[in-house]
Amino acid sequence: MFVQQLEPVADSLALSALVAALPLVTVLVLLGGVRMRAHYAGLIGLGVAALVAWVAYGMPVVQTASSAAQGVLFGLFPIMWIVVNALWVYRMTVRTRHFDVLRRSFSRFSDDPRIQALVIAFCFGALLEALAGFGAPVAICAVMLVALGFDPVRAAVVALVANTAPVAFGAMGTPVVTLAQVTGLPLDTVASVVGRQTPLLALVVPLLIVAIVDGRRGLRETWVPALACGVAFAAAQFVASNYISAQLADIVAALLGAAALIAVPSARRPAEEPVRAAVLTGVRSEDLDHEDPRPEVLRAYAPYALIIAIFSIAQIPPVKRLLARATQTFDWPLLNVADPAGHPVGGNVFALPLIGTGGTLVLLAGIATAVVLRVPVRAALTEWGRTVGELRHAILTVVSVLALAYVMNLSGQAAAIGHFVAAAGAGLAFLSPVLGWFGVAVSGSDTSANALFGALQVTAARESGLSPELLAAANSSGGVLGKMISPQNLAIACAAVGLKGREGDLLRKVLPWSLALLLVMCLIVVGQSTFVLGWMLP
């Protein structure tokens, strides 16, 4: 049995924590300073973590390798299993041109560019985040706004700011699933706390969007539909994440947010020409005037309806118990780890949910989508293979980062850092979202930031007397606000709208919004750690 040590370096917690931080520092420097590609940075960071675990923390080489292998398996299944199948569904809608039908359907909701920005960047962007994630919502929504006649810079800024509230539950809940796994906290508990933080952002972001699009006039004239959209989105995200399924949170929120927006009479009024002239300074795409048959419009919405239906059925208690029977739980080979108190850690046992996992449910929805959209079997299989190929670097990044996280967690490195950071005491509640924000700003992924810092947050919380669930959730909720300033997302936005090389210009425009919203999230978490907002927690 390998027993974790908190002070293996010169019997000093500070020095041990400093050495334990080397893998994290390596990854962050390679990503943020050297601008190395994420999958290379992840692999190098994994090598450093393994070296520290073996040399400094005394973890046997075999157990170190076994820890990394467990992280790799979790990265492949269920994490990337979810992402691949979700993106596959999206790719089939593109192949059959039903994505274009959906885009035209959204553009007809209103001719007011401020309302169009809400429908496309906020609501439809959340749908794309639910299915694709990894920068796809920013690229696609920015292009759609430019097609409507938006200035490229404004379109990119709107898309970046909108890609905040849905990120924690993106890619069918991948960030919170990862957070639950690396922290050992129940998924339902983690998702419920995140679902009591990010919905508060959803109340604000639609108002920011109309202000970015049309300044004070936009806020003055369209605050009612914007607020209605935000309230509906927030309420749906809260209910879905707490009482239905974390994987459905963004899909349900996006659809209800769009429905509430269009239900407001003022949102459907024709926009005044001065407004359109001031906002729509680009060239409008001609294909938006194409009329689509009603059956094709219904088919375009079918994939999302199928996903909601399948996930809802899977939450029915008898069905849920039936699916759970397929979960395989076994002792992980070549791994026998105890915490500093001598108690076996959870990583010694591994659970493999074969059918009840989100990726398998999305796969079933994808098969049904192929039938509804009339995609031939060969074409559907081809798209699945191409999806895997398209995500190859993302897959390598995720598995390497999760392998790094597992090595750090099981060797005791994360525990040492957490015990050292716990010295901040109550100040941790304020700093916790900042750590998540920094992680996403550098890595571009809430999933990666949760894998890197989730266990650290939980250890620090337990040592300082704060709620582990609160700080773990704060890592993810704060992280979503770093998404808009990450080099990865800025590059995607610039490439999508033809602004290559102007990432710095976009950064200067979105950084103030990112910092302002981060401050709000920090205050929310501080409030939730005290009696002021403590009543919000489950």
Side-chain angles (χ1 to χ4, degrees):
M1 176 179 287
F2 166 70
V3 180
Q4 297 173 348
Q5 302 177 64
L6 294 178
E7 302 177 357
V9 181
D11 293 325
S12 167
L13 180 61
L15 288 177
S16 299
L18 183 64
V19 172
L22 288 177
L24 299 177
V25 173
T26 299
V27 172
L28 298 179
V29 169
L30 291 177
L31 287 173
V34 181
R35 298 292 180 89
M36 181 179 289
R37 300 188 70 173
H39 54 284
Y40 291 132
L43 289 172
I44 294 173
L46 171 59
V48 175
L51 192 63
V52 170
W54 175 46
V55 175
Y57 280 75
M59 190 178 201
V61 174
V62 172
Q63 297 215 43
T64 301
S66 183
S67 301
Q70 187 176 140
V72 169
L73 178 57
F74 180 71
L76 293 173
F77 192 97
I79 298 304
M80 292 312 298
W81 179 240
I82 298 172
V83 176
V84 166
N85 289 324
L87 187 56
W88 174 53
V89 174
Y90 161 71
R91 286 181 62 96
M92 284 193 292
T93 67
V94 173
R95 182 187 181 97
T96 60
R97 299 191 180 277
H98 284 91
F99 176 79
D100 293 332
V101 175
L102 197 65
R103 176 170 59 88
R104 287 190 288 268
S105 174
F106 284 145
S107 70
R108 295 191 187 98
F109 282 160
S110 172
D111 71 344
D112 189 324
R114 300 163 299 190
I115 303 301
Q116 290 174 339
L118 290 174
V119 172
I120 292 173
F122 187 67
C123 297
F124 188 56
L127 270 178
L128 292 174
E129 183 66 33
L131 283 186
F134 292 92
V138 171
I140 295 168
C141 292
V143 169
M144 290 173 69
L145 290 174
V146 169
L148 288 170
F150 277 70
D151 170 73
V153 173
R154 183 176 291 168
V157 171
V158 168
L160 286 166
V161 172
N163 191 223
T164 47
V167 169
F169 296 103
M172 305 306 294
T174 295
V176 291
V177 171
T178 303
L179 183 62
Q181 181 69 17
V182 299
T183 59
L185 299 173
L187 173 59
D188 291 343
T189 303
V190 172
S192 67
V193 179
V194 175
R196 295 162 193 249
Q197 294 171 343
T198 55
L200 299 176
L201 293 176
L203 298 174
V204 178
V205 171
L207 297 172
L208 291 183
I209 290 174
V210 296
I212 292 171
V213 171
D214 195 29
R216 292 183 179 178
R217 177 179 60 184
L219 196 57
R220 183 177 64 252
E221 295 180 358
T222 59
W223 71 269
V224 173
L227 187 60
C229 177
V231 169
F233 188 101
Q237 193 179 63
F238 164 73
V239 171
S241 61
N242 278 264
Y243 304 109
I244 304 175
S245 168
Q247 286 92 342
L248 287 179
D250 280 349
I251 293 179
V252 175
L255 295 176
L256 290 185
L261 177 62
I262 302 306
V264 178
S266 60
R268 300 193 302 272
R269 293 172 188 161
E272 297 180 2
E273 189 54 38
V275 172
R276 294 180 56 80
V279 176
L280 302 180
T281 57
V283 179
R284 185 176 185 274
S285 176
E286 295 181 359
D287 79 316
L288 294 175
D289 297 323
H290 178 73
E291 289 290 336
D292 297 298
R294 186 174 182 82
E296 293 304 304
V297 175
L298 294 176
R299 284 196 184 93
Y301 284 91
Y304 309 100
L306 288 168
I307 289 174
I308 292 175
I310 289 174
F311 271 84
S312 299
I313 293 172
Q315 296 305 310
I316 299 173
V319 177
K320 192 172 185 178
R321 288 193 295 269
L322 181 64
L323 296 177
R325 291 180 184 175
T327 298
Q328 301 295 313
T329 302
F330 54 90
D331 293 332
W332 187 259
L334 305 177
L335 194 65
N336 188 10
V337 180
D339 63 22
H343 304 124
V345 300
N348 294 333
V349 178
F350 192 80
L352 196 63
L354 298 176
I355 300 178
T357 186
T360 303
L361 297 178
V362 177
L363 176 64
L364 295 176
I367 294 171
T369 295
V371 174
V372 172
L373 299 186
R374 300 170 184 171
V375 182
V377 174
R378 182 183 293 274
L381 292 174
T382 299
E383 286 301 327
W384 197 90
R386 289 176 178 173
T387 301
V388 174
E390 181 181 313
L391 288 174
R392 63 189 184 280
H393 290 152
I395 292 173
L396 188 55
T397 299
V398 169
V399 298
S400 62
V401 168
L402 280 165
L404 179 156
Y406 270 65
V407 170
M408 290 190 64
N409 295 346
L410 291 170
S411 66
Q413 295 174 60
I417 299 173
H419 279 73
F420 180 72
V421 172
L428 274 174
F430 186 88
L431 296 175
S432 184
V434 177
L435 186 59
W437 173 85
F438 180 73
V440 176
V442 173
S443 69
S445 167
D446 200 35
T447 299
S448 296
N450 286 344
L452 291 172
F453 300 129
L456 186 157
Q457 298 265 23
V458 168
T459 301
R462 286 172 175 154
E463 289 301 307
S464 60
L466 294 172
S467 165
E469 294 81 7
L470 175 62
L471 293 202
N475 191 83
S476 190
S477 299
V480 306
L481 302 172
K483 189 89 168 177
M484 70 177 82
I485 64 169
S486 70
Q488 171 185 311
N489 258 24
L490 290 171
I492 289 172
C494 286
V497 297
L499 296 174
K500 190 174 182 180
R502 295 184 59 183
E503 289 85 358
D505 295 338
L506 281 188
L507 177 62
R508 284 189 288 274
K509 289 183 178 295
V510 298
L511 182 59
W513 298 117
S514 178
L515 293 175
L517 291 173
L518 175 63
L519 177 60
V520 171
M521 182 54 65
C522 290
L523 295 176
I524 289 171
V525 175
V526 169
Q528 290 179 333
S529 69
T530 67
F531 68 92
V532 178
L533 295 178
W535 52 269
M536 292 180 63
L537 299 180

